[in-house]
């Protein structure tokens, strides 16, 4: 039985999601056991040391070391969970970073702002254009400097679109305050901090349409800061990507000036 499923956690759609769910289950089972233990201990104390049995208070306190042993046992179990489950999962995610960069990943800049998300794709050349804060005209503007040739085929969208079975690397940042970009079905989230771009990666294993949310209180409209994400087949993604990039190139690339005939 999975406590995570019992508590209605959404289905996992990422390659690493099963290991995250396993860790969540282990922590829940431990907390259930710890909570039950403390409840029965509290009930035992209420009965064992009730006033009718002990009309006079004792000022000597506990004379054995059972409570100390229990506290040590709890610390050991917590250390096992941390060292045996959390650290290996963290190590796996960080050690494979270099490998992921060699797998033709989808790269996207994710810009948080009050109260929404903007997605900046690098276009068919695979190179993000220069970012110039002076070019930002609104909270949702990613600040792309289209004078940079690498930016001519860059395009922006209001929805995140990625491909199934293909790693995606998202560079998370913010244009105003600290946000948190969370994709619950992918079991991943990352703070969006102004002035920094922090990468996070995942590999979708199923197609879906879902929501992304801000998991950091960021202002009055925080509860409405919900974006959209779509995972499609790789062929459909490449077709869409090429169309968006070609359209951006026609818009932003300088047009050749026709030579006057003599």
């Amino acid at each position: 039985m999975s406590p995570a499923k019992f508590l209605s956690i959404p289905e996992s759609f990422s390659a690493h999601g099963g290991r995250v769910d396993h860790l969540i289950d282990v922590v829940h089972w431990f907390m259930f056991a710890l909570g039950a233990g403390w409840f029965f201990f509290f009930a035992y104390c209420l009965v064992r040391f009730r006033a009718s049995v002990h009309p006079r208070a004792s000022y000597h306190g506990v004379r054995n070391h059972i409570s100390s042993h229990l506290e040590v046992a709890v610390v050991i179990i917590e250390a096992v969970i941390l060292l045996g489950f959390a650290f290996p999962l963290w190590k796996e995610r960080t050690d494979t970073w270099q490998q992921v960069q060699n797998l033709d990943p989808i790269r996207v800049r994710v810009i948080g702002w009050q109260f929404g998300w903007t997605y900046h794709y690098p276009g068919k050349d695979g190179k993000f254009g220069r970012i110039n804060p002076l070019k930002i005209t609104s909270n949702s503007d990613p600040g792309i400097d289209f004078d940079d040739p690498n930016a001519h085929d860059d395009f922006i969208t209001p929805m995140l679109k990625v491909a199934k079975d293909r790693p995606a690397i998202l560079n998370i940042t913010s244009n105003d305050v600290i946000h948190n970009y969370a994709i619950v079905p992918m079991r991943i989230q990352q703070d969006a901090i102004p002035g920094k771009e922090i990468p996070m990666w995942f590999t979708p294993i199923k197609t879906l349409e879902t929501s992304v949310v801000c998991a950091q209180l960021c202002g009055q409209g925080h509860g409405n800061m919900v974006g959209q994400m779509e995972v499609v087949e790789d062929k459909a993604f490449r077709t869409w990507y090429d169309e968006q990039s070609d359209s951006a190139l026609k818009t932003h690339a300088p047009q050749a000036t026709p030579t006057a005939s003599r």
Side-chain angles (χ1 to χ4, degrees):
M1 178 182 176
S2 168
K5 296 294 187 295
F6 178 75
L7 296 173
S8 301
I9 189 171
E11 179 185 356
S12 170
F13 284 81
S14 68
H16 74 279
R19 291 180 290 281
V20 174
D21 287 353
H22 178 61
L23 178 58
I24 293 174
D25 286 342
V26 170
V27 172
H28 273 87
W29 280 119
F30 174 64
M31 295 308 298
F32 286 150
L34 190 62
W38 283 118
F39 173 80
F40 286 117
F41 176 72
F42 178 66
Y44 167 79
C45 291
L46 289 178
V47 175
R48 176 67 177 78
F49 302 106
R50 63 190 186 277
S52 60
V53 177
H54 299 278
R56 299 181 59 184
S58 171
Y59 297 97
H60 296 291
V62 177
R63 296 179 179 274
N64 59 50
H65 300 285
I66 294 178
S67 60
S68 299
H69 297 330
L70 290 175
E71 290 176 3
V72 170
V74 169
V75 170
I76 291 174
I77 294 174
E78 290 176 345
V80 169
I81 293 175
L82 182 63
L83 299 176
F85 294 90
F87 277 10
L89 179 58
W90 171 80
K91 181 176 183 295
E92 176 189 332
R93 299 290 297 163
T94 55
D95 285 1
T96 54
W97 170 244
Q98 294 297 330
Q99 300 175 23
V100 170
Q101 297 186 81
N102 297 325
L103 295 176
D104 187 28
I106 298 167
R107 295 180 178 272
V108 191
R109 289 183 67 236
V110 180
I111 302 95
W113 47 275
Q114 292 175 313
F115 296 95
W117 305 99
T118 298
Y119 302 97
H120 171 197
Y121 290 80
K124 291 167 71 172
D125 65 358
K127 298 178 181 179
F128 285 105
R130 181 170 55 244
I131 303 301
N132 185 351
L134 298 178
K135 297 288 185 179
I136 296 177
T137 59
S138 65
N139 269 9
S140 60
D141 191 336
I144 305 172
D145 185 353
F146 290 107
D147 293 332
D148 177 12
N150 290 329
H152 291 166
D153 63 346
D154 288 15
F155 61 93
I156 60 175
T157 67
M159 178 181 71
L160 176 65
K161 181 175 286 193
V162 293
K164 183 173 77 75
D165 296 325
R166 187 174 169 193
I169 298 177
L170 310 184
N171 281 25
I172 314 298
T173 187
S174 169
N175 273 357
D176 39 43
V177 301
I178 295 177
H179 300 280
N180 182 284
Y181 190 73
I183 313 176
V184 178
M186 297 297 161
R187 303 297 190 266
I188 199 163
Q189 66 182 66
Q190 172 62 55
D191 281 346
I193 302 176
K196 291 187 176 182
E197 288 197 6
I198 305 174
M200 72 176 188
W201 70 274
F202 61 95
T203 302
I205 57 175
K206 302 177 184 178
T207 59
L208 84 155
E209 294 183 13
T210 188
S211 299
V212 298
V213 297
C214 178
Q216 174 72 35
L217 184 60
C218 59
Q220 186 175 6
H222 165 71
N224 297 321
M225 192 169 171
V226 180
Q228 298 299 315
M229 172 188 177
E230 184 179 9
V231 180
V232 298
E233 296 292 343
D234 187 53
K235 183 178 180 180
F237 173 80
R238 292 180 186 275
T239 300
W240 169 84
Y241 192 93
D242 290 347
E243 291 174 351
Q244 296 292 320
S245 182
D246 291 341
S247 177
L249 187 61
K250 291 178 182 179
T251 302
H252 302 130
Q255 301 298 316
T257 303
T259 304
S261 59
R262 294 182 179 180

